[in-house]
Amino acid sequence: MDSAHVENDLVNVLFTEAQIQQRLQEMAQEIERDYEGEELLIVGILRGAVMVMAVSSYGSGTKSSGVVRILKDLDTDISGRHVVIVDEIIDTGLTLSWLTSNLSSRNPASVQIATLLRKPEALQMPVDVKYVGWDIPNEFVVGYGLDYREKYRNLRDIGTLAPHVYS
Ligand code: IMP
Ligand code: MG
């Protein structure tokens, strides 16, 4: 993709790659502390969450936090397990609301949500989120795994997409 063109599609940069990595590392450490000694199952919402998970799982050392497993297959038996669902952004909350109740019905020890970004004004379903990177305004953002029609996913920073792109 032509990068000069891509720059024109962004209104402004909200978070730089360095800021994002710093925040993800803080969140990963918080999760490690909370689940110390427990076996934790991480459920990632593909595909945007892949970049978030890469850092969350490997970014902050792996001392005594127990085993972290990445669940690819939702048919895995999660009964008795501690589960953290990882997503990159919560918008309406519909996706995570559904997934949380689906997983909760399978007798896990616990289910919590971690998300890099959340748009509180866009929320349509109550979703209880334990770990949030940042709350952002109700605008469409791209980069760092976030896409608009499969574009902009590989941008290193997260920025607001110019409305002329999608209107
Ligand atoms: P929800 O079910 O409305 O919360 O939607 C969540 C999903 O919509 C996210 O996992 C993203 O894939 C996508 N999404 C929502 N808002 C944005 C955005 O601002 N940029 C890119 N993707 C978004
Ligand atoms: Mg998407």
Side-chain angles (χ1 to χ4, degrees):
M1 192 177 355
D2 175 1
S3 62
H5 176 246
V6 165
E7 301 281 297
N8 292 337
D9 291 350
L10 297 184
V11 176
N12 64 324
V13 171
L14 287 180
F15 308 106
T16 65
E17 182 180 33
Q19 288 175 311
I20 297 163
Q21 286 176 351
Q22 164 78 30
R23 189 72 190 104
L24 287 174
Q25 203 147 108
E26 289 167 5
M27 293 170 72
Q29 281 163 3
E30 197 182 337
I31 292 172
E32 273 188 11
R33 271 199 308 276
D34 290 354
Y35 292 90
E36 191 162 358
E38 309 279 3
E39 188 172 333
L40 177 61
L41 205 57
I42 301 223
V43 177
I45 317 290
L46 300 176
R47 306 154 51 158
V50 164
M51 295 184 68
V52 173
M53 286 175 60
V55 174
S56 310
S57 310
Y58 310 115
S60 67
T62 53
K63 65 172 185 351
S64 71
S65 61
V67 180
V68 174
R69 292 210 185 130
I70 296 173
L71 187 65
K72 294 192 197 118
D73 177 5
L74 271 181
D75 294 333
T76 300
D77 182 10
I78 63 166
S79 59
R81 314 288 296 276
H82 292 283
V83 178
V84 173
I85 306 171
V86 176
D87 206 351
E88 82 281 39
I89 189 163
I90 300 180
D91 187 28
T92 63
L94 295 174
T95 311
L96 280 181
S97 169
W98 175 85
L99 187 61
T100 306
S101 55
N102 180 297
L103 295 183
S104 297
S105 69
R106 306 192 213 169
N107 302 313
S110 65
V111 178
Q112 297 290 355
I113 296 171
T115 185
L116 180 61
L117 302 174
R118 178 176 61 183
K119 301 180 191 173
E121 295 155 35
L123 215 57
Q124 290 177 20
M125 301 287 282
V127 183
D128 196 7
V129 186
K130 186 156 186 194
Y131 308 98
V132 183
W134 293 285
D135 281 327
I136 61 169
N138 192 8
E139 293 168 331
F140 204 85
V141 294
V142 292
Y144 212 89
L146 293 157
D147 72 298
Y148 173 65
R149 298 188 172 170
E150 300 301 324
K151 273 179 77 177
Y152 313 103
R153 204 190 280 286
N154 295 329
L155 293 181
R156 288 164 172 270
D157 302 331
I158 291 178
T160 308
L161 193 60
H164 74 76
V165 176
Y166 53 88
S167 57

